[in-house]
Amino acid sequence: MVNAFGALTRGLTTRRLAQNSGFVSRGLEEFFEKGQRLPEKMDPTGRAWAASELRQKSWEDLQKLWYVILKERNVLASQAEECRRLSVPSQFFSNKARIIKCKKSMARIKTVLNERQVAWKKSQEEALEQAKEQSKKIAASKKPSAPKPSAKAAAKDTKVPASETTVPA
């Protein structure tokens, strides 16, 4: 019975063989760093992303970076839970600095995206105002204006006072 069950489940795995590169992590294995519940040594890590660096990235790059950092936070949360479950003292294994870097980077990504959204809304409002101004100018130029009187018609219509019509002798 066990052999039959093993034969049935042999093809079911959370790993997939990649081309020329061994195994690729999939599923729950991605929640653990290097496939270990708790790493044996602490690897050096980088710094949090600066907002000025993030402003130079495209929308797609920011979205990819968000999910990479989110995955890192999930790995760190899994490690923290394993430490709690195994009663590992916090001074022996702590990733608080990495968690803080992840949170700062995610907050900065949100800030950059919010800045872009505000700038986009402002440009939309300005474009709408410019369109309204142009439509007013076009409407004003299409209105028929009263024709200007010619010089002869203006001379006929002007009344000359009686004192000026008399010729001195």
Side-chain angles (χ1 to χ4, degrees):
M1 179 73 177
V2 174
N3 288 338
F5 181 73
L8 288 173
T9 59
R10 190 170 296 132
L12 303 175
T13 179
T14 58
R15 290 183 173 210
R16 181 177 54 148
L17 190 59
Q19 296 174 353
N20 303 327
S21 65
F23 288 106
V24 173
S25 297
R26 293 188 61 184
L28 290 176
E29 293 172 352
E30 290 191 22
F31 285 97
F32 299 103
E33 199 169 28
K34 300 177 186 173
Q36 302 170 346
R37 291 190 306 182
L38 293 174
E40 296 167 0
K41 64 177 184 161
M42 299 293 283
D43 290 332
T45 58
R47 58 178 173 73
W49 284 84
S52 60
E53 296 169 332
L54 295 171
R55 285 186 189 103
Q56 298 173 0
K57 298 218 170 275
S58 68
W59 165 257
E60 291 83 18
D61 289 342
L62 288 176
Q63 188 175 18
K64 289 175 188 175
L65 183 60
W66 176 269
Y67 283 105
V68 167
I69 295 172
L70 182 64
K71 185 176 171 183
E72 177 74 12
R73 280 187 66 185
N74 286 337
V75 167
L76 296 172
S78 297
Q79 289 176 357
E81 183 60 27
E82 280 295 305
C83 286
R84 187 197 61 76
R85 190 177 70 80
L86 298 173
S87 301
V88 175
S90 62
Q91 64 269 17
F92 174 71
F93 187 81
S94 176
N95 277 328
K96 288 182 183 178
R98 285 174 67 186
I99 293 170
I100 291 170
K101 290 174 192 175
C102 288
K103 287 182 179 181
K104 281 184 179 181
S105 293
M106 291 178 92
R108 290 174 181 159
I109 289 173
K110 281 184 177 181
T111 301
V112 168
L113 291 176
N114 189 37
E115 288 173 354
R116 289 182 184 181
Q117 182 182 15
V118 168
W120 182 80
K121 284 183 179 180
K122 185 177 178 182
S123 68
Q124 291 296 316
E125 290 171 1
E126 289 175 358
L128 184 63
E129 288 296 321
Q130 287 178 353
K132 285 181 181 178
E133 288 176 14
Q134 282 188 347
S135 65
K136 286 179 183 178
K137 287 179 183 178
I138 291 171
S141 67
K142 287 185 178 181
K143 273 188 178 178
S145 59
K148 294 183 179 180
S150 64
K152 290 182 181 178
K156 286 182 184 177
D157 292 341
T158 56
K159 293 185 179 179
V160 179
S163 61
E164 292 179 9
T165 56
T166 56
V167 178

